[in-house]
Amino acid sequence: MDWLKVFRVEKKNNTAKTARDRLMVAVAYQRDQLAGKSNGPVYLPKMREELLAVVRKYVQVPDDSVQFTVQREDGLEVLELNITLPEANA
Amino acid sequence: MDWLKVFRVEKKNNTAKTARDRLMVAVAYQRDQLAGKSNGPVYLPKMREELLAVVRKYVQVPDDSVQFTVQREDGLEVLELNITLPEANA
């Protein structure tokens, strides 16, 4: 996937409101609809929790700097974490 | 961001070659170019390693089921992990 294109679009959309460094983490699960399964792997919720825990360990920001969204449609579920980093982040 | 749209496109592109469940993890760092910083946060490489370790802990698949890519351009760096899941994953 051309991720640079994906995030470049996002960046343009965000320029006016936020000229800050950002960190984005996306976890997507895409189900093969031909297989007829109704759910993702049983470990998916736990794995996502641990991924978020890793991010929170490194990125210590106020809660209002973190946007957390889940998008779903048939056969596709995407969890996104969008973090505005503090100015002194290095 | 409309992630459903992003991954829906990806799915269409993949249908012919792979009718299997997939897991995708993307970590993107977007630098504010106005701030003139030359690098991301110092913790970024370590944090990404730990994120990948979490995924590998839960998703035990052969190495050839995992595609790992890093895309870079000025001010934007995206790491992507794209995993084809085994058929009996639940």
Side-chain angles (χ1 to χ4, degrees):
Chain A
M1 184 182 303
D2 186 354
W3 285 100
L4 295 180
K5 192 174 166 191
V6 170
F7 287 106
R8 207 183 299 130
V9 170
E10 178 80 341
K11 190 176 179 180
K12 277 181 192 159
N13 292 340
N14 277 333
T15 301
K17 48 181 179 174
T18 55
R20 294 279 286 277
D21 293 5
R22 303 178 78 80
L23 182 72
M24 283 154 288
V25 180
V27 181
Y29 174 69
Q30 186 181 86
R31 180 161 42 93
D32 168 23
Q33 290 179 299
L34 297 177
K37 294 189 203 93
S38 58
N39 283 303
V42 289
Y43 56 75
L44 196 58
K46 185 112 182 59
M47 191 189 74
R48 292 199 295 211
E49 265 177 41
E50 287 193 33
L51 290 172
L52 301 186
V54 169
V55 173
R56 292 295 271 172
K57 185 174 85 174
Y58 283 97
V59 186
Q60 283 145 9
V61 294
D63 282 348
D64 63 3
S65 297
V66 181
Q67 277 185 300
F68 181 87
T69 56
V70 178
Q71 297 177 24
R72 282 192 193 89
E73 68 171 25
D74 198 30
L76 187 56
E77 186 173 303
V78 185
L79 173 146
E80 182 195 8
L81 198 65
N82 195 324
I83 302 168
T84 305
L85 297 175
E87 292 190 48
N89 59 54
Chain B
M1 185 181 302
D2 186 354
W3 285 100
L4 295 179
K5 190 174 167 191
V6 171
F7 288 105
R8 206 182 299 130
V9 170
E10 178 80 341
K11 188 176 181 181
K12 277 181 192 160
N13 293 340
N14 277 332
T15 301
K17 49 181 177 173
T18 54
R20 295 280 286 277
D21 292 6
R22 303 178 77 80
L23 182 71
M24 284 154 290
V25 180
V27 181
Y29 174 69
Q30 186 182 85
R31 181 160 41 92
D32 169 22
Q33 291 178 299
L34 297 177
K37 293 190 203 94
S38 59
N39 283 302
V42 290
Y43 57 73
L44 196 57
K46 185 111 182 60
M47 190 189 76
R48 292 200 294 211
E49 264 177 44
E50 287 193 34
L51 290 172
L52 302 187
V54 169
V55 173
R56 293 295 273 170
K57 185 174 86 174
Y58 283 96
V59 186
Q60 283 146 8
V61 294
D63 282 349
D64 64 2
S65 296
V66 180
Q67 278 184 301
F68 182 88
T69 55
V70 177
Q71 297 177 24
R72 282 192 193 88
E73 67 171 26
D74 198 29
L76 187 55
E77 186 174 304
V78 185
L79 174 146
E80 182 194 8
L81 198 65
N82 195 324
I83 302 168
T84 304
L85 296 175
E87 292 191 47
N89 58 53

